Amino acid sequence: MAAVSEALRGHLAMLLFSALVAGSFSLGVMVANEIAPAALNAARFGIAAVVIGVAAMATTGMRRVHFQAPWRFAVLGGLFGGYFVLMFYGLQTAAPVSAAAVFTLVPVMSAGFGWLLLRQVTTRWMALALSIGAAGAVWVIVRGDLQALAAFQIGQGEIIYFWGCVLHAIYTPMVRKLNRGEPAVVFTFGMLLAGGGLLAAFGWQDILATDWMQLPGIVWIGLFYLAFFASAATFVLLQYATLRLPSAKVMAYTYLTPSWVILWEIALGRGAPPGMVLIGVVMSVAALVMLLEGDAKPVRA
């Protein structure tokens, strides 16, 4: 019963994760061309590190033993920092729903890296669900245009963001591989601190060139949402779920992201996408349901 309870908590964590992540696409498009991606993400990692650090001290506490082998945090921080930088470069030209669809390709890649790094087995049922989800993602990426699908015309922004998603897919199984029993909030703090340092080193020229006091208000709104909700909260949720669920199932919740983004877009007054695009969204949601149903199936196909 305890194992089931832990798994259920992991699923609930990822449900909230997908809703919060979706907001970063809609808000990200609004700020992507207002500030350099490296400067934006160095700031968000810094703010998130402070928030998580305070939370860690107030809850589990931080001990020296938690930070043994600090190279682990540098690896994870580099992977996630690289993902976010490439995400915002991609959002300079990609539409929010389209970028969210690219994000839903992560479970397929995560399953592959989960096998390479952890030898996690993907059953035939899971493989079928991942394939349906990937097909739905491609349908949304080409915006339901059969001619674009036949010509395989994908925008530059989506291509840039795809490579960021490769880093995200590697990150997920790496969390489980590198974690040595540290509390999720402490492990997240170490990753944020290292990632922020790497981003500051990479983008120091952009950071110095940014006129922080003259940035539009929407940038500050986006920055604090990204730092508090799409960084601090989601990092903890992802770490928590990754230690309780297989990598492929953790990232399966990304299939909900396009649906959440559509709701975000409607809420922000930017309207809904064409009806044909919704076919791909339905396929992605169906893939998520199949993966969750797979909990009741045998471990081996």
Side-chain angles (χ1 to χ4, degrees):
M1 182 62 70
V4 174
S5 177
E6 287 297 302
L8 178 59
R9 291 177 183 178
H11 286 303
L12 292 174
M14 288 310 299
L15 183 64
L16 180 57
F17 168 89
S18 64
L20 294 177
V21 165
S24 66
F25 290 97
S26 294
L27 291 174
V29 165
M30 299 172 71
V31 305
N33 291 297
E34 302 289 343
I35 181 174
L40 173 67
N41 285 289
R44 80 184 284 190
F45 268 59
I47 295 171
V50 172
V51 173
I52 292 297
V54 171
M57 292 299 294
T59 55
T60 63
M62 288 189 282
R63 300 194 297 273
R64 188 172 183 177
V65 67
H66 291 155
F67 299 98
Q68 290 181 342
W71 61 268
R72 297 176 297 147
F73 302 109
V75 170
L76 295 173
L79 288 171
F80 231 20
Y83 160 74
F84 281 117
V85 169
L86 290 173
M87 173 184 176
F88 278 87
Y89 274 121
L91 286 175
Q92 290 177 345
T93 56
V97 176
S98 182
V102 176
F103 188 50
T104 63
L105 295 174
V106 172
V108 177
M109 296 185 287
S110 185
F113 288 119
W115 182 83
L116 287 172
L117 296 171
L118 302 172
R119 289 298 184 264
Q120 290 180 338
V121 177
T122 299
T123 66
R124 293 176 184 175
W125 180 261
M126 288 177 65
L128 175 61
L130 292 171
S131 299
I132 292 173
V138 172
W139 184 256
V140 176
I141 291 168
V142 300
R143 296 171 178 83
D145 187 339
L146 291 174
Q147 292 183 342
L149 179 60
F152 206 64
Q153 296 174 354
I154 298 177
Q156 183 180 11
E158 286 88 346
I159 293 173
I160 292 172
Y161 183 45
F162 169 79
W163 290 110
C165 288
V166 171
L167 298 182
H168 196 309
I170 298 172
Y171 172 85
T172 306
M174 285 296 287
V175 168
R176 178 172 288 196
K177 187 173 182 67
L178 297 182
N179 184 273
R180 297 182 179 178
E182 299 90 350
V185 67
V186 176
F187 202 61
T188 300
F189 172 74
M191 183 276 291
L192 285 169
L193 200 61
L198 291 171
L199 284 170
F202 170 76
W204 67 270
Q205 291 181 316
D206 290 334
I207 295 171
L208 293 177
T210 299
D211 189 350
W212 295 93
M213 294 298 101
Q214 298 301 317
L215 289 173
I218 187 61
V219 175
W220 288 106
I221 293 172
L223 175 59
F224 279 95
Y225 178 87
L226 292 169
F228 284 95
F229 298 104
S231 294
T234 59
F235 290 167
V236 172
L237 291 169
L238 183 60
Q239 308 274 15
Y240 183 90
T242 298
L243 297 176
R244 289 160 176 79
L245 301 170
S247 296
K249 288 192 177 183
V250 167
M251 298 318 299
Y253 276 90
T254 61
Y255 289 141
L256 286 181
T257 305
S259 301
W260 285 117
V261 170
I262 289 172
L263 295 177
W264 271 91
E265 291 292 286
I266 294 172
L268 292 171
R270 295 208 288 265
M276 290 294 286
V277 171
L278 297 179
I279 295 174
V281 173
V282 170
M283 292 173 67
S284 296
V285 174
L288 170 63
V289 173
M290 289 176 66
L291 283 168
L292 297 186
E293 286 292 326
D295 280 340
K297 293 185 175 295
V299 174
R300 295 189 179 277

